[in-house]
Amino acid sequence: MMIKMKMFTKDTRLLGILEAAMNGVCPDKDACRYMLTFHEASAEASLIRIAANDIMRKKSDNSAIILGQVGVDVSECTGGCKFCTFGEGHTKFIPKRLSDEELYAKISGFNEKEDLYGLFLMTMHDYDLSVFLNSVNIAKSIVPSTTKICANVGDSSLDAFKEMKKAGVEGVYHVCRIGEGRDTNLRPEDRIKTMENALDAGLKLYTCCEPIGPEQTIDEIVDNMFIGIELGCTQHACMRRVAVPGAPLAKYRQISELRLGQFVAVVALASFGTPTMTYCGVHEPNEIAYVSGANIITAEAGANPRDNKDDTSENRGMDMEDCRTMLLESGFQYIRRGDESKIPLTFDYVKGE
């Protein structure tokens, strides 16, 4: 493969980085910065995406996973994130919490074929632990044993995470975002402490390099992606910032899906050596990312920080059939359940009655 790559670039430094990756050596921060200096439409960026795609497909046996996320409540969030539709000071949402019946219905919508790898229950930054644990209990009564239940909550204590683990939560999605403390009302040290609390409670850490905007520097993006790597995350991902109407940072617009694919590839290359890192995510899902190292897709219902609709399934959010179709079109051979069992991903499986 490296001989063929030499046909497309004479950049010996890049070829050395990619050859090392193909031999199992993840690039360090300096190498990641270098890979992001190339324009997204360049031959070099294409080679980076090719290498990441090849490595991740071999590591996962050309498998992908589907995650589901339900936003269980909406309020004016004190996190005040300038890229989020719920941020304090600019949100147009009226406070609302899904009833038990609504939550039951939305979770049930993910489970027709019992091929959901993990279900994430999402709250605002400030949340009521007892209400969240009730949501966990509802989820446990619906999802099969092969689906992991995970949390996407605000900054939390070690004790809170221990309560979640006791209730059946297996993992936590948490992020120290790019521009934390500048573009949000939250402190980077509190975000990282929450990630450490989750790990100390025995929960798996799911994280992301996000939200990437066109005005950000390569240095701050690479520094951000290594937070999860250095903590030992179970899953990593990459998300571009969506220019949500009304959010203060929407004025900067957003990066292209092709550039996002380059970021996904670099995240995958930097993290595939972590023993637990079989899967790499992308927000929002797109085919370019799925031939650039990503193999996680997310179906969404309820509130979504990148959407002005109170139920994203009626707008931006993908449903399970959308997700299966995109993975099929991207050439994956299997969908994995949460117990890592494989389902052949065929046209008949996706489209059959």
Side-chain angles (χ1 to χ4, degrees):
M1 185 174 179
M2 294 310 301
I3 293 174
K4 293 180 180 179
M5 284 188 172
K6 290 177 182 177
M7 298 170 58
F8 295 97
T9 184
K10 295 181 180 179
D11 192 303
T12 55
R13 182 179 179 187
L14 176 62
L15 290 170
I17 293 167
L18 298 181
E19 184 171 16
M22 299 297 288
N23 289 321
V25 180
C26 293
D28 61 14
K29 284 186 179 182
D30 285 341
C32 289
R33 292 187 188 100
Y34 187 67
M35 287 190 285
L36 292 175
T37 61
F38 296 102
H39 189 275
E40 61 259 41
S42 67
E44 288 79 9
S46 296
L47 294 179
I48 294 165
R49 294 193 298 270
I50 288 168
N53 181 61
D54 185 68
I55 288 170
M56 292 302 292
R57 290 198 186 234
K58 286 176 178 174
K59 184 165 185 178
S60 67
D61 193 23
N62 201 14
S63 301
I65 65 173
I66 305 175
L67 304 177
Q69 179 161 277
V70 179
V72 300
D73 61 16
V74 174
S75 66
E76 185 176 27
C77 185
T78 58
C81 304
K82 296 178 183 177
F83 43 79
C84 177
T85 190
F86 308 127
E88 185 178 59
H90 61 263
T91 188
K92 304 299 183 185
F93 278 97
I94 297 171
K96 177 185 176 183
R97 177 178 294 147
L98 293 180
S99 68
D100 288 357
E101 293 75 20
E102 289 173 320
L103 181 59
Y104 189 99
K106 292 188 184 302
I107 295 173
S108 297
F110 293 132
N111 288 300
E112 179 189 1
K113 295 189 177 183
E114 297 191 352
D115 55 2
L116 189 69
Y117 186 95
L119 172 69
F120 286 76
L121 300 170
M122 185 184 72
T123 70
M124 300 293 101
H125 180 72
D126 296 319
Y127 68 101
D128 185 313
L129 180 59
S130 63
V131 171
F132 181 78
L133 294 177
N134 178 63
S135 300
V136 172
N137 288 331
I138 292 171
K140 284 171 60 180
S141 73
I142 306 169
V143 300
S145 61
T146 53
T147 296
K148 302 175 186 292
I149 297 175
C150 302
N152 182 354
V153 297
D155 288 332
S156 303
S157 66
L158 175 60
D159 287 342
F161 283 138
K162 286 180 177 179
E163 287 296 312
M164 292 183 199
K165 183 174 176 61
K166 191 186 303 180
V169 171
E170 296 189 43
V172 172
Y173 179 86
H174 206 71
V175 177
C176 179
R177 279 78 56 97
I178 300 169
E180 201 80 76
R182 178 191 69 210
D183 298 332
T184 76
N185 296 334
L186 308 174
R187 302 193 311 165
E189 54 266 38
D190 293 338
R191 303 295 290 176
I192 293 172
K193 179 60 177 175
T194 293
M195 297 161 85
E196 294 171 341
N197 287 341
L199 291 168
D200 289 345
L203 297 167
K204 294 177 180 178
L205 177 62
Y206 303 80
T207 195
C208 185
C209 177
E210 59 117 319
I212 299 174
E215 81 284 4
Q216 294 162 354
T217 68
I218 289 174
D219 282 348
E220 64 181 329
I221 293 168
V222 171
D223 286 346
N224 183 270
M225 73 171 61
F226 271 82
I227 293 172
I229 294 169
E230 290 167 357
L231 284 172
C233 60
T234 292
Q235 286 180 14
H236 213 324
C238 201
M239 184 182 82
R240 71 173 176 176
R241 193 179 66 225
V242 173
V244 182
L249 295 184
K251 63 184 179 182
Y252 292 113
R253 309 305 183 201
Q254 56 195 51
I255 63 172
S256 68
E257 288 186 349
L258 187 60
R259 181 62 167 167
L260 176 60
Q262 187 177 356
F263 284 117
V264 167
V266 173
V267 167
L269 290 172
S271 58
F272 77 86
T274 304
T276 54
M277 255 292 297
T278 305
Y279 308 109
C280 181
V282 60
H283 302 293
E284 291 171 330
N286 67 87
E287 286 89 344
I288 293 173
Y290 293 118
V291 291
S292 302
N295 53 9
I296 302 173
I297 194 165
T298 304
E300 296 179 280
N304 178 339
R306 303 177 304 281
D307 201 338
N308 281 331
K309 283 271 190 180
D310 60 4
D311 186 350
T312 193
S313 63
E314 299 174 359
N315 194 30
R316 299 190 71 93
M318 297 176 68
D319 63 20
M320 293 294 289
E321 184 175 351
D322 294 333
C323 290
R324 296 184 193 107
T325 299
M326 186 172 284
L327 295 178
L328 177 70
E329 295 289 358
S330 299
F332 291 100
Q333 289 181 286
Y334 304 100
I335 291 176
R336 298 261 187 164
R337 300 183 182 94
D339 64 355
E340 301 300 336
S341 59
K342 294 188 294 188
I343 303 169
L345 184 58
T346 65
F347 182 89
D348 288 341
Y349 178 77
V350 173
K351 299 298 185 181
E353 297 298 330

